Amino acid sequence: MSSEEDFSLVVVGTQPPEDSLEGIKALTEKYKEQYEVLLKDQKHIASCRDDQCENTKKFKECSEKLTEELKKDKKNYEDQLANEEMKLKSLEEEDAKLMKQIEEVEAALQEEEGKCEELQQQAELFAAVPEKKVIFTGLTGKEGDTQFEMKPHIVYPMDGGTALVTFEEEVVAKKILEMGKHKVNLNEDCKECTECSITVEARPIQLMLPELVEIKSEVCPKRILISNLPKMDTDTLLNKLEIHFSKTKNGGGEVDDREFLTDSGNVVLTFLKADFARGLADTEYHEVVLQPGKKSHRVRVTPFLNGNITNLKTKTSICPRTVLLTGIPPIMERDALQDLLEIHFQKGSNGGGEITAFLYNPLGQTASAIFKGVSEKKEEE
């Protein structure tokens, strides 16, 4: 190092004392600078605050707008939902109406099918009835009513020691029943003698009558009813009919059974299979040779009906003209005692009257009385 070089000492950052004038000036400048910085910061903060307030205001307005739109959307959705629910309810009501209409139509269809089946059965039933000329003498009823008057055929079992008396007038039978017990003299010469008289008791006759009978008829698939037949030997007639209707060319088949109906003179043929009866009945009229060397006879073939009682109602009815006498001892012959009893109850002095029928059954014997055409107003014995 050269000794010729000059050195100088420079003090960096040397500040004057604070209590000096220069120090106070320096602090003042320093605080001014800090103040300026604070003012700038304050302005910046105020600007940020204003920006935040503006953004807050905008966000609030936007939020209120969105809230209003959400309310409108919610109301629109609720209105649309209510409208759809109304449409759904309307569709459900319409569907229920349609289902009800379908049920009504199905019920009506079933009813019509039932009527059709009933009409078809009636047609078959009418076709199954053999032709017979009848004369109608009764009264007509309401349209649609199909009723038949039945005349019962009642078998009344009689106990021994009883008698049935049928009077011509109902008042006589009523008087006899009201009197109850009757003393019958068996010897006109000794009216006061108790040994020559008997005491009988009059009781009403109660019969069980059918009030309503419902019968279900159906066509038998294996049987036919043959009518319009001539009078001839029964075995020959059955043989000829079986031969004719067992042949395939005549529309028949193997015959399983045959029966001659004595009450009507008709014949019932039963086939082994159910393939022939319907076709033969549909043809109805057939030409059958019944007697050798003679022309064919035209017979009528109709369906055979099977009937089952489906409903039976009965009622108890008291015979208005017939009286039951009980307690009759077997003290003499049947005919003689019956005559004496009939004479006694025919006399008006004994409370009797004109008798139309009298039947006595002695003690120890069995008998039955048949009541025909019994009704609440009359009966025939």
Side-chain angles (χ1 to χ4, degrees), residues 118-132 145-146 148 217 219 225 227 281 284-285 300-305:
E118 184 179 354
L119 290 174
Q120 184 177 0
Q121 290 180 356
Q122 288 182 2
E124 292 179 350
L125 294 180
F126 288 137
V129 178
E131 292 182 351
K132 186 176 182 180
D145 292 343
T146 305
F148 299 92
S217 299
V219 176
L225 180 68
S227 58
E284 190 172 1
Y285 291 101
R300 185 181 183 221
V301 176
T302 53
F304 182 82
L305 302 180

Side-chain angles (χ1 to χ4, degrees), residues 19-20 58 67 137 172 185 205 224 234 364 373:
D19 54 353
S20 64
K58 289 182 180 179
T67 303
T137 59
V172 177
N185 292 320
I205 296 293
I224 59 173
T234 302

Side-chain angles (χ1 to χ4, degrees), residues 7-8 28 36 39 96-97 124 128 156 211 242 249 271 280 302 311 344:
F7 293 89
S8 61
T28 302
E36 292 293 333
L39 285 177
K97 289 181 180 179
E124 292 179 350
Y156 183 82
E211 184 178 17
E242 181 178 356
K249 67 177 183 179
F271 295 97
L280 293 172
T302 53
N311 187 13
H344 175 85

Side-chain angles (χ1 to χ4, degrees), residues 1 8 31 36 39-40 66 73 78 83 90 118 140 160 191 227 229 234 278 372:
M1 180 178 298
S8 61
Y31 289 139
E36 292 293 333
L39 285 177
K40 288 181 180 179
L66 289 174
D73 291 342
E78 290 176 351
N83 189 23
S90 177
E118 184 179 354
T140 58
K191 295 182 180 181
S227 58
L229 297 171
T234 302
R278 183 67 179 268
K372 298 180 180 179

Side-chain angles (χ1 to χ4, degrees), residues 14-27:
T14 302
Q15 295 181 351
E18 293 182 357
D19 54 353
S20 64
L21 181 61
E22 292 180 356
I24 293 172
K25 288 182 178 180
L27 286 174

